[in-house]
Amino acid sequence: MKNGEIIYQSRDGLNLFAKSFGPEDADLTVLCLHGLTRNHKDFVPMIQSLGNHRRYIAIDVRGRGRSDRDQDPSKYRLDVYVQDVLDLLAIVKPSKLVLIGTSMGGLMSLLLSQMLSQELLGVVLNDVGPKLEQAGLERIAGYVGNFIEHDSWEDAALAVEKSQHSAFPNFRHDDWMKFAKRTHKENQDGKIVLDYDPAIAESLKNIEADISVEMQTWALFASTFKRPLLVVRGEISDLFSSDTAVKMVHRHGRANVISVSNVGHAPILDEPICVKTIESFLKKLELGQ
């Protein structure tokens, strides 16, 4: 590990990347799992806003960011991603762990909740739950894999604004530029491109909300019942409904939910209500409450 960079190998030979922030010997490790088309940089605004005495590890799931692209697109699926995370945890060996998962990363967190034992103290799910809304799924499927080479960061920021404006109606130009720099990279030709493998779009073909899958995911959600849970929902999210959030809190018994005003899918987690609530959630876990 160098300058907080963790590079490790998957069981099938890919070089995978994670970024560590904060003291390595911290009592608590917060593992941050990003959404479908994002990467570890998605969590930098949140990490910079939270207490710096903890260790935060934000990963690049295979096919994203600085992790290798997989030559076999069929491996872009949750069970493979989770195995990669387990391999990382075997290296890091945290004694106390909290998961923060956004969208796809939240689904990964549900699977990990079932697999991890006493070291997992709690989970934060960001705009995701056992039931996903068809409108949101179709919107995401509509833009994933649409790769356009931009001549400048300004052009990339304008493109991001066009595709994401409905989720962040209060964003200004500076916000869109920061968003573009978290989700894009400069390629060898000097063009600005999205920072993920377009082949991940294969997993979204003909995607639809399926009742049998939903039932299985609700059953999987039960794995969170033995630990504190914080549910974050974007107030205008088209993927994660308020009804599902309420049902999750009711079934869990000791979960809390917060709504991020005038934000859709998915909150950045540096919004004031998120920073305040996540900090309080982590502090309580550190104190054993």
Side-chain angles (χ1 to χ4, degrees):
M1 187 170 70
K2 181 180 179 182
N3 298 325
E5 297 182 354
I6 304 172
I7 299 174
Y8 68 105
Q9 198 167 70
S10 68
R11 297 189 179 192
D12 53 355
L14 297 185
N15 289 321
L16 303 178
F17 178 86
K19 184 69 177 290
S20 178
F21 304 80
E24 293 180 28
D25 60 351
D27 188 48
L28 181 67
T29 296
V30 181
L31 184 64
C32 305
L33 308 173
H34 63 74
L36 181 70
T37 62
R38 306 295 179 83
N39 56 68
H40 79 275
K41 289 181 286 186
D42 214 36
F43 289 98
V44 171
M46 179 198 76
I47 293 168
Q48 291 176 338
S49 301
L50 291 173
N52 60 10
H53 63 284
R54 307 180 188 96
R55 186 183 195 187
Y56 299 88
I57 298 178
I59 74 169
D60 282 346
V61 170
R62 63 172 63 203
R64 286 81 163 175
R66 293 175 59 183
S67 287
D68 283 350
R69 279 41 178 164
D70 200 319
Q71 297 304 306
D72 180 1
S74 71
K75 292 181 181 177
Y76 288 144
R77 61 179 196 266
L78 289 177
D79 62 313
V80 177
Y81 303 152
V82 166
Q83 184 58 64
D84 291 341
V85 171
L86 292 173
D87 290 342
L88 172 63
L89 292 176
I91 297 170
V92 177
K93 295 183 174 64
S95 58
K96 296 180 181 179
L97 178 69
V98 173
L99 300 176
I100 299 182
T102 294
S103 196
M104 181 190 77
L107 299 178
M108 292 167 61
S109 298
L110 292 182
L111 286 166
L112 287 163
S113 293
Q114 194 176 49
M115 298 175 178
L116 298 175
S117 55
Q118 67 273 9
E119 76 270 22
L120 181 59
L121 303 186
V123 177
V124 179
L125 297 178
N126 182 21
D127 213 60
V128 68
K131 181 180 180 181
L132 302 178
E133 302 301 315
Q134 186 64 28
L137 292 172
E138 291 177 354
R139 180 182 57 81
I140 293 169
Y143 70 74
V144 173
N146 293 337
F147 267 58
I148 298 174
E149 292 187 343
H150 302 289
D151 293 326
S152 67
W153 282 106
E154 182 72 24
D155 289 344
L158 290 172
V160 169
E161 180 179 5
K162 183 177 179 180
S163 68
Q164 300 288 331
H165 176 74
S166 63
F168 302 98
N170 291 343
F171 268 21
R172 299 184 177 184
H173 177 73
D174 184 54
D175 298 310
W176 293 119
M177 182 62 72
K178 291 176 181 177
F179 199 123
K181 290 192 173 182
R182 290 194 300 268
T183 56
H184 289 67
K185 66 177 180 178
E186 184 175 339
N187 67 14
Q188 294 179 338
D189 299 321
K191 300 292 186 179
I192 310 302
V193 297
L194 288 162
D195 198 7
Y196 65 84
D197 185 350
I200 68 173
E202 293 294 313
S203 64
L204 294 180
K205 283 186 175 180
N206 303 315
I207 191 167
E208 60 181 25
D210 184 286
I211 187 63
S212 63
V213 173
E214 182 185 331
M215 291 174 63
Q216 294 172 26
T217 312
W218 276 113
L220 182 62
F221 175 67
S223 65
T224 67
F225 291 1
K226 55 189 174 183
R227 303 177 179 94
L229 173 68
L230 174 63
V231 179
V232 179
R233 180 179 180 270
E235 181 188 37
I236 56 175
S237 175
D238 60 357
L239 185 72
F240 180 47
S241 74
S242 58
D243 287 346
T244 299
V246 169
K247 186 181 292 186
M248 290 166 67
V249 171
H250 176 73
R251 291 194 181 186
H252 187 279
R254 55 189 180 127
N256 291 312
V257 61
I258 59 170
S259 178
V260 186
S261 178
N262 212 26
V263 169
H265 185 75
I268 306 299
L269 300 181
D270 68 340
E271 299 88 354
I273 188 173
C274 292
V275 173
K276 179 181 178 181
T277 309
I278 293 172
E279 179 66 25
S280 175
F281 182 77
L282 295 176
K283 281 183 177 178
K284 286 181 179 179
L285 293 177
E286 288 171 323
L287 295 172
Q289 299 177 357

